[in-house]
Amino acid sequence: MSTRKGLILAGGTGSRLWPITLGLSKQLIPIYDKPMIYYPLSVLMLTGIREIGIITTPHDQAQFQSLLGDGSQWGVQITWLVQPKPDGLAQAYLIAEEFLDGGPSAMVLGDNIFFGHGLPELLASADAQSAGGTVFGYHVADPERYGVVGMDAEGRVTEIVEKPQVAPSNYAVTGLYFLDGSAPERAREIKPSPRGELEIVTLLESYLTEGALTVEQMGRGYAWLDTGTHGSLLDAGNFVRTLQSRQGMQTGCPEEIAYGAGWIDDAQLTALADRYAKTEYGAYLRGLMAA
């Protein structure tokens, strides 16, 4: 089990998805058969993290709590944190400082979906780094839309550039960050950017200048989807549907991860399956015990 605590940033206004998100938090929108937040939650659980802080807006928090509760149904412990207004991704470490209590963390953005054979091993490799920070680079066709890492011939990070006109590589930084216990202290030193936000790139640069930032590359066998637009939302749902229909296995299923890790037993899984008795999801959970 990981000694890190997990963070899911599920705040923001979701304005790029209006009018859908005028009455519903973006991270509660369904990605095929599950709420969006199940997917980043599953990434933290695959890392072996059982203490998870979820950052939401004040007015959306009750809906998230209704969906996820305290996490005990999956053998995890959820702490609820509030983002009064969205002031940048690095703000999450200030909001979560007391929760993190000086320890290392893994933060995943609430609208990011990761999939791939070997993902648990990749996560374990990042989790094993006790000092410094680890981010994940994903090869994209349009790096100018993202924060991008430049690397030397040995794969060491040389620079991070936000939405570059001329990209130093095709590797975008995904919304998954493994940082040591100094992250909140570093976040406090950040000055707001011209758009008034505490930028995550600036936080990562503080690690980079000390030679303490590592990039794990996600190769051809991985999928990284962010669901910030109407088109990418549909693409993600179709991806999950195709994958699950073809393989007969769930993607982003907290119950399956918890059961496989021994965090819940047969009786607890049965109760969860019974809750979804009228759905394919419930039948899948019941089938896990026969596997």
Side-chain angles (χ1 to χ4, degrees), residues 271-286:
L272 291 167
D274 287 347
R275 184 181 186 188
Y276 308 121
K278 295 182 179 180
T279 68
E280 291 182 9
Y281 194 72
Y284 180 81
L285 297 183
R286 191 168 293 281

PDB file of all heavy atoms in Angstrom, residues 271-286:
ATOM      1  N   ALA A 271     -22.918  -6.841  -1.687  1.00  0.00           N
ATOM      2  CA  ALA A 271     -23.827  -5.739  -1.344  1.00  0.00           C
ATOM      3  C   ALA A 271     -23.776  -4.650  -2.416  1.00  0.00           C
ATOM      4  O   ALA A 271     -24.811  -4.082  -2.791  1.00  0.00           O
ATOM      5  CB  ALA A 271     -23.454  -5.164   0.018  1.00  0.00           C
ATOM      6  N   LEU A 272     -22.579  -4.372  -2.930  1.00  0.00           N
ATOM      7  CA  LEU A 272     -22.438  -3.370  -3.978  1.00  0.00           C
ATOM      8  C   LEU A 272     -23.082  -3.848  -5.277  1.00  0.00           C
ATOM      9  O   LEU A 272     -23.746  -3.088  -5.982  1.00  0.00           O
ATOM     10  CB  LEU A 272     -20.956  -3.048  -4.208  1.00  0.00           C
ATOM     11  CG  LEU A 272     -20.267  -2.285  -3.063  1.00  0.00           C
ATOM     12  CD1 LEU A 272     -18.757  -2.303  -3.240  1.00  0.00           C
ATOM     13  CD2 LEU A 272     -20.774  -0.850  -3.003  1.00  0.00           C
ATOM     14  N   ALA A 273     -22.891  -5.140  -5.592  1.00  0.00           N
ATOM     15  CA  ALA A 273     -23.496  -5.712  -6.798  1.00  0.00           C
ATOM     16  C   ALA A 273     -25.022  -5.673  -6.701  1.00  0.00           C
ATOM     17  O   ALA A 273     -25.716  -5.377  -7.684  1.00  0.00           O
ATOM     18  CB  ALA A 273     -23.006  -7.140  -7.007  1.00  0.00           C
ATOM     19  N   ASP A 274     -25.553  -5.974  -5.520  1.00  0.00           N
ATOM     20  CA  ASP A 274     -27.006  -5.963  -5.322  1.00  0.00           C
ATOM     21  C   ASP A 274     -27.578  -4.551  -5.526  1.00  0.00           C
ATOM     22  O   ASP A 274     -28.701  -4.391  -6.003  1.00  0.00           O
ATOM     23  CB  ASP A 274     -27.357  -6.458  -3.919  1.00  0.00           C
ATOM     24  CG  ASP A 274     -27.152  -7.964  -3.765  1.00  0.00           C
ATOM     25  OD1 ASP A 274     -26.984  -8.655  -4.796  1.00  0.00           O
ATOM     26  OD2 ASP A 274     -27.143  -8.444  -2.615  1.00  0.00           O
ATOM     27  N   ARG A 275     -26.788  -3.561  -5.161  1.00  0.00           N
ATOM     28  CA  ARG A 275     -27.234  -2.177  -5.315  1.00  0.00           C
ATOM     29  C   ARG A 275     -27.483  -1.846  -6.790  1.00  0.00           C
ATOM     30  O   ARG A 275     -28.368  -1.060  -7.117  1.00  0.00           O
ATOM     31  CB  ARG A 275     -26.172  -1.240  -4.732  1.00  0.00           C
ATOM     32  CG  ARG A 275     -26.541   0.231  -4.743  1.00  0.00           C
ATOM     33  CD  ARG A 275     -25.411   1.058  -4.166  1.00  0.00           C
ATOM     34  NE  ARG A 275     -25.787   2.458  -4.035  1.00  0.00           N
ATOM     35  CZ  ARG A 275     -24.940   3.426  -3.698  1.00  0.00           C
ATOM     36  NH1 ARG A 275     -23.676   3.139  -3.441  1.00  0.00           N
ATOM     37  NH2 ARG A 275     -25.353   4.668  -3.608  1.00  0.00           N
ATOM     38  N   TYR A 276     -26.678  -2.462  -7.655  1.00  0.00           N
ATOM     39  CA  TYR A 276     -26.789  -2.209  -9.095  1.00  0.00           C
ATOM     40  C   TYR A 276     -27.384  -3.410  -9.819  1.00  0.00           C
ATOM     41  O   TYR A 276     -27.040  -3.699 -10.964  1.00  0.00           O
ATOM     42  CB  TYR A 276     -25.418  -1.883  -9.681  1.00  0.00           C
ATOM     43  CG  TYR A 276     -24.678  -0.783  -8.960  1.00  0.00           C
ATOM     44  CD1 TYR A 276     -23.422  -0.999  -8.380  1.00  0.00           C
ATOM     45  CD2 TYR A 276     -25.237   0.495  -8.849  1.00  0.00           C
ATOM     46  CE1 TYR A 276     -22.745   0.017  -7.727  1.00  0.00           C
ATOM     47  CE2 TYR A 276     -24.567   1.518  -8.185  1.00  0.00           C
ATOM     48  CZ  TYR A 276     -23.323   1.269  -7.625  1.00  0.00           C
ATOM     49  OH  TYR A 276     -22.661   2.277  -6.971  1.00  0.00           O
ATOM     50  N   ALA A 277     -28.295  -4.102  -9.152  1.00  0.00           N
ATOM     51  CA  ALA A 277     -28.805  -5.391  -9.652  1.00  0.00           C
ATOM     52  C   ALA A 277     -29.442  -5.302 -11.030  1.00  0.00           C
ATOM     53  O   ALA A 277     -29.422  -6.272 -11.792  1.00  0.00           O
ATOM     54  CB  ALA A 277     -29.802  -5.970  -8.648  1.00  0.00           C
ATOM     55  N   LYS A 278     -29.994  -4.148 -11.385  1.00  0.00           N
ATOM     56  CA  LYS A 278     -30.705  -4.033 -12.658  1.00  0.00           C
ATOM     57  C   LYS A 278     -29.804  -3.599 -13.814  1.00  0.00           C
ATOM     58  O   LYS A 278     -30.281  -3.324 -14.907  1.00  0.00           O
ATOM     59  CB  LYS A 278     -31.853  -3.033 -12.516  1.00  0.00           C
ATOM     60  CG  LYS A 278     -32.947  -3.487 -11.554  1.00  0.00           C
ATOM     61  CD  LYS A 278     -34.075  -2.473 -11.493  1.00  0.00           C
ATOM     62  CE  LYS A 278     -35.178  -2.938 -10.537  1.00  0.00           C
ATOM     63  NZ  LYS A 278     -36.288  -1.947 -10.460  1.00  0.00           N
ATOM     64  N   THR A 279     -28.508  -3.542 -13.576  1.00  0.00           N
ATOM     65  CA  THR A 279     -27.591  -3.039 -14.599  1.00  0.00           C
ATOM     66  C   THR A 279     -26.530  -4.082 -14.957  1.00  0.00           C
ATOM     67  O   THR A 279     -26.271  -5.027 -14.207  1.00  0.00           O
ATOM     68  CB  THR A 279     -26.850  -1.787 -14.091  1.00  0.00           C
ATOM     69  OG1 THR A 279     -25.949  -2.173 -13.033  1.00  0.00           O
ATOM     70  CG2 THR A 279     -27.820  -0.746 -13.554  1.00  0.00           C
ATOM     71  N   GLU A 280     -25.899  -3.866 -16.113  1.00  0.00           N
ATOM     72  CA  GLU A 280     -24.762  -4.703 -16.514  1.00  0.00           C
ATOM     73  C   GLU A 280     -23.605  -4.523 -15.541  1.00  0.00           C
ATOM     74  O   GLU A 280     -22.820  -5.446 -15.326  1.00  0.00           O
ATOM     75  CB  GLU A 280     -24.319  -4.343 -17.931  1.00  0.00           C
ATOM     76  CG  GLU A 280     -25.311  -4.729 -19.025  1.00  0.00           C
ATOM     77  CD  GLU A 280     -24.801  -4.387 -20.408  1.00  0.00           C
ATOM     78  OE1 GLU A 280     -23.611  -3.998 -20.540  1.00  0.00           O
ATOM     79  OE2 GLU A 280     -25.585  -4.490 -21.368  1.00  0.00           O
ATOM     80  N   TYR A 281     -23.508  -3.339 -14.975  1.00  0.00           N
ATOM     81  CA  TYR A 281     -22.445  -3.057 -14.012  1.00  0.00           C
ATOM     82  C   TYR A 281     -22.569  -3.979 -12.798  1.00  0.00           C
ATOM     83  O   TYR A 281     -21.585  -4.565 -12.335  1.00  0.00           O
ATOM     84  CB  TYR A 281     -22.529  -1.595 -13.583  1.00  0.00           C
ATOM     85  CG  TYR A 281     -21.321  -1.052 -12.852  1.00  0.00           C
ATOM     86  CD1 TYR A 281     -20.141  -0.802 -13.523  1.00  0.00           C
ATOM     87  CD2 TYR A 281     -21.376  -0.761 -11.488  1.00  0.00           C
ATOM     88  CE1 TYR A 281     -19.033  -0.277 -12.866  1.00  0.00           C
ATOM     89  CE2 TYR A 281     -20.284  -0.237 -10.815  1.00  0.00           C
ATOM     90  CZ  TYR A 281     -19.109   0.008 -11.518  1.00  0.00           C
ATOM     91  OH  TYR A 281     -18.013   0.519 -10.852  1.00  0.00           O
ATOM     92  N   GLY A 282     -23.787  -4.130 -12.290  1.00  0.00           N
ATOM     93  CA  GLY A 282     -24.018  -5.021 -11.155  1.00  0.00           C
ATOM     94  C   GLY A 282     -23.703  -6.464 -11.491  1.00  0.00           C
ATOM     95  O   GLY A 282     -23.109  -7.191 -10.684  1.00  0.00           O
ATOM     96  N   ALA A 283     -24.086  -6.907 -12.691  1.00  0.00           N
ATOM     97  CA  ALA A 283     -23.789  -8.271 -13.119  1.00  0.00           C
ATOM     98  C   ALA A 283     -22.287  -8.490 -13.214  1.00  0.00           C
ATOM     99  O   ALA A 283     -21.756  -9.563 -12.876  1.00  0.00           O
ATOM    100  CB  ALA A 283     -24.451  -8.555 -14.469  1.00  0.00           C
ATOM    101  N   TYR A 284     -21.570  -7.454 -13.673  1.00  0.00           N
ATOM    102  CA  TYR A 284     -20.111  -7.561 -13.775  1.00  0.00           C
ATOM    103  C   TYR A 284     -19.485  -7.738 -12.390  1.00  0.00           C
ATOM    104  O   TYR A 284     -18.595  -8.578 -12.183  1.00  0.00           O
ATOM    105  CB  TYR A 284     -19.550  -6.302 -14.440  1.00  0.00           C
ATOM    106  CG  TYR A 284     -18.056  -6.326 -14.596  1.00  0.00           C
ATOM    107  CD1 TYR A 284     -17.439  -7.010 -15.645  1.00  0.00           C
ATOM    108  CD2 TYR A 284     -17.223  -5.640 -13.695  1.00  0.00           C
ATOM    109  CE1 TYR A 284     -16.067  -7.040 -15.785  1.00  0.00           C
ATOM    110  CE2 TYR A 284     -15.854  -5.664 -13.826  1.00  0.00           C
ATOM    111  CZ  TYR A 284     -15.268  -6.344 -14.876  1.00  0.00           C
ATOM    112  OH  TYR A 284     -13.899  -6.384 -15.010  1.00  0.00           O
ATOM    113  N   LEU A 285     -19.941  -6.932 -11.425  1.00  0.00           N
ATOM    114  CA  LEU A 285     -19.396  -7.031 -10.065  1.00  0.00           C
ATOM    115  C   LEU A 285     -19.660  -8.427  -9.482  1.00  0.00           C
ATOM    116  O   LEU A 285     -18.772  -9.015  -8.839  1.00  0.00           O
ATOM    117  CB  LEU A 285     -20.024  -5.961  -9.159  1.00  0.00           C
ATOM    118  CG  LEU A 285     -19.749  -4.503  -9.527  1.00  0.00           C
ATOM    119  CD1 LEU A 285     -20.381  -3.558  -8.505  1.00  0.00           C
ATOM    120  CD2 LEU A 285     -18.256  -4.238  -9.643  1.00  0.00           C
ATOM    121  N   ARG A 286     -20.847  -8.957  -9.715  1.00  0.00           N
ATOM    122  CA  ARG A 286     -21.151 -10.298  -9.212  1.00  0.00           C
ATOM    123  C   ARG A 286     -20.244 -11.335  -9.857  1.00  0.00           C
ATOM    124  O   ARG A 286     -19.788 -12.285  -9.225  1.00  0.00           O
ATOM    125  CB  ARG A 286     -22.630 -10.622  -9.465  1.00  0.00           C
ATOM    126  CG  ARG A 286     -23.124 -11.888  -8.734  1.00  0.00           C
ATOM    127  CD  ARG A 286     -24.624 -12.003  -8.783  1.00  0.00           C
ATOM    128  NE  ARG A 286     -25.276 -10.944  -8.013  1.00  0.00           N
ATOM    129  CZ  ARG A 286     -25.401 -10.967  -6.695  1.00  0.00           C
ATOM    130  NH1 ARG A 286     -24.903 -11.991  -6.002  1.00  0.00           N
ATOM    131  NH2 ARG A 286     -26.011  -9.995  -6.056  1.00  0.00           N
TER     132      ARG A 286
END
